[in-house]
Amino acid sequence: MATAAACASSLLAPPSASCAGTAASGALFPTSVPSLRAYPRLLLAFRRPAAAAVADPQGAAVLEEEDDETPVQFDDVDDDYEDGYGGRGPAFTAPTRPRTGKAALPLKRDRTRSKRYLEIQKLRESKKEYDVPMAISLMKQVANTRFVESAEAHFRMNLDPKYNDQQLRATVNLPKGTGQTVKIAVLTQGEKIDEARAAGADIVGSDDLIEQIKGGFMEFDKLIASPDMMPKVASLGKILGPRGLMPNPKAGTVSPNITQAIDEFKKGKVEFRVDKTGIAHIPFGKVNFPEEDLIANFMAVVRSIERNKPSGAKGIYWKTAYVCSSMGPSIKLNIKEMLDYGADSSN
C-alpha cells in the first residue's frame, strides 16, 4: 500500500522502476498517465480497499465495486401481481382516516370560516349575478352579527393607477348619509376660526393644532384646511399621508368655503379612490337602513364613479361589482343591469 501511495503522489513525474513494476504486475494504476479528473477516484480507491480501479479507454481510473450481497428470494409472491414500479410484490397502502367537520369541506378557504359564516353563505349562490334590489335585500338578510354592520361596495375597474391618466379619486355625497358620526378638525386662521366652530367643527386650530398633530394627536376622522394654511400643512405630509388624512382639493378637504365643506362631510360626503390593484372600496351606509335608502346611496356611488371616469381609461370600464356587509359574504352584481338601473333612477 505504501508503494501504491508513493506512485500516486508522483503521477505527473516519469514513472520509476518500482512503479513500473507495480503497473506491469496488474496493480492499481494504468501504464499511461491518467487525466486530472481521475485523481478523486484514485484517492477514493485507497480509502475503499473493496473497490478495484480499472483503466478506461481514455486513461481514467474507473471504480468497480464488488457486490457481495445476494438477492433476497421471495417464495410467497404471487406471480400475477405487479406493484406498479416494474417489480412484483404486494403494494402497501397506508390507512386514511375519513375527514369530518370543516376538514371535509371541498373548498380550502371554507375550512377556516366560522359556523355562522358557513350557514349564511348558503343563502346566496356564489356564481349568480344579482340585480341591485335583490342584492341589497340579500345583504341585509345575511347580516346577523351582534353589532350594526356597514354596507360596502367593491368595484374592480379596468384601471392601472400607476399611470396619471388612469387614477380615480373623487368624492360622493350620499343622500341618506353614512350612519356614522364624523369627527372633523379644521386648520384655518383669522375670522374663519369662528366660522368653523359655528358650522359644527369638532376641533379648530391654526399653528397650535399643527404642533399637536406633530406630537401625535390624531383624534379626528377628517382634516379640513383653508388654502392659506396649506404651506404650513405640507410639513405634516409624512404623518397624515399614510393615514389618508392629508387635505387634498380633489377630496374636498381643501376649500375656501369652510362652512360648506364641514356641512357636506357631516351629512355624508365620502371620499374614495382605487387602490394599486384597481379596486375601489366604498362604504355606503349601515345595514339597518331601509332598502330604499341603501339603494339611493349605492346608485349615487355608481353615478359618481361613472361621472369621474379617468381620461386614460380604455376598453371596458367596469369589470366586476360586489356588495357585502362588514362580516358577510360578497354578493355579485350584474354590471349591465346595475348601469341600466342607475340610468332609470337618475331619470
Side-chain angles (χ1 to χ4, degrees):
M1 183 62 70
T3 304
C7 294
S9 60
S10 59
L11 287 175
L12 297 179
S16 61
S18 60
C19 295
T22 305
S25 61
L28 182 64
F29 300 102
T31 56
S32 61
V33 178
S35 61
L36 293 177
R37 63 186 181 89
Y39 291 156
R41 297 183 181 181
L42 294 174
L43 295 177
L44 183 62
F46 288 112
R47 298 177 185 176
R48 301 177 63 181
V54 182
D56 62 2
Q58 285 85 18
V62 181
L63 296 178
E64 291 183 352
E65 297 185 0
E66 297 179 359
D67 189 4
D68 296 336
E69 298 182 358
T70 57
V72 180
Q73 301 293 332
F74 296 96
D75 297 333
D76 299 332
V77 176
D78 187 4
D79 293 338
D80 297 334
Y81 181 79
E82 294 186 0
D83 59 2
Y85 296 95
R88 295 182 178 274
F92 174 75
T93 304
T96 57
R97 184 177 300 176
R99 295 181 178 181
T100 59
K102 292 184 180 180
L105 295 175
L107 296 179
K108 187 176 181 179
R109 65 173 179 267
D110 289 341
R111 298 172 190 171
T112 58
R113 303 288 192 183
S114 64
K115 293 182 179 179
R116 181 198 68 86
Y117 188 94
L118 294 176
E119 288 297 326
I120 63 177
Q121 190 174 230
K122 300 177 183 177
L123 299 177
R124 53 96 184 182
E125 299 180 24
S126 59
K127 297 183 179 180
K128 181 179 178 181
E129 296 182 350
Y130 295 86
D131 57 4
V132 174
M134 185 61 187
I136 297 297
S137 176
L138 188 57
M139 181 190 66
K140 290 173 62 66
Q141 185 179 355
V142 300
N144 58 357
T145 55
R146 298 180 181 179
F147 63 94
V148 181
E149 302 179 41
S150 297
E152 303 173 359
H154 305 273
F155 305 100
R156 180 182 292 276
M157 315 303 297
N158 189 20
L159 298 173
D160 191 353
K162 69 180 181 181
Y163 299 106
N164 293 331
D165 59 349
Q166 295 189 33
Q167 294 180 358
L168 175 62
R169 182 174 184 179
T171 58
V172 54
N173 292 316
L174 301 179
K176 304 301 180 180
T178 60
Q180 299 177 348
T181 302
V182 182
K183 194 172 184 179
I184 297 178
V186 176
L187 279 171
T188 187
Q189 56 187 354
E191 299 178 354
K192 293 185 178 180
I193 292 179
D194 296 332
E195 295 179 5
R197 289 174 178 168
D202 300 285
I203 303 170
V204 182
S206 182
D207 295 335
D208 55 343
L209 182 56
I210 292 177
E211 295 299 326
Q212 292 180 18
I213 295 175
K214 289 181 178 180
F217 178 76
M218 288 290 169
E219 297 181 5
F220 50 86
D221 301 317
K222 289 290 180 182
L223 180 62
I224 300 175
S226 55
D228 55 351
M229 290 294 296
M230 287 308 296
K232 299 180 181 180
V233 178
S235 61
L236 303 176
K238 293 183 179 180
I239 302 174
L240 300 176
R243 295 175 172 84
L245 297 174
M246 187 68 180
N248 190 299
K250 293 183 179 180
T253 49
V254 177
S255 174
N257 193 341
I258 298 295
T259 303
Q260 180 182 356
I262 295 173
D263 186 60
E264 288 176 350
F265 281 104
K266 286 287 186 180
K267 288 184 177 180
K269 190 175 184 178
V270 177
E271 177 189 359
F272 64 89
R273 62 188 303 177
V274 294
D275 58 15
K276 61 181 181 180
T277 61
I279 302 177
H281 313 273
I282 308 171
F284 61 97
K286 295 288 187 178
V287 293
N288 60 353
F289 282 16
E291 291 186 13
E292 295 78 11
D293 293 351
L294 288 174
I295 293 175
N297 284 349
F298 178 78
M299 297 316 303
V301 171
V302 173
R303 287 192 293 269
S304 177
I305 295 177
E306 189 71 22
R307 185 170 55 251
N308 292 281
K309 182 178 180 179
S311 59
K314 299 178 182 179
I316 300 175
Y317 184 45
W318 300 81
K319 283 190 173 182
T320 57
Y322 292 86
V323 295
C324 67
S325 59
S326 300
M327 305 295 292
S330 59
I331 302 168
K332 191 174 184 179
L333 295 170
N334 187 293
I335 299 294
K336 185 177 183 303
E337 294 182 358
M338 179 188 73
L339 298 178
D340 293 342
Y341 190 90
D344 296 339
S345 60
S346 61
N347 294 335

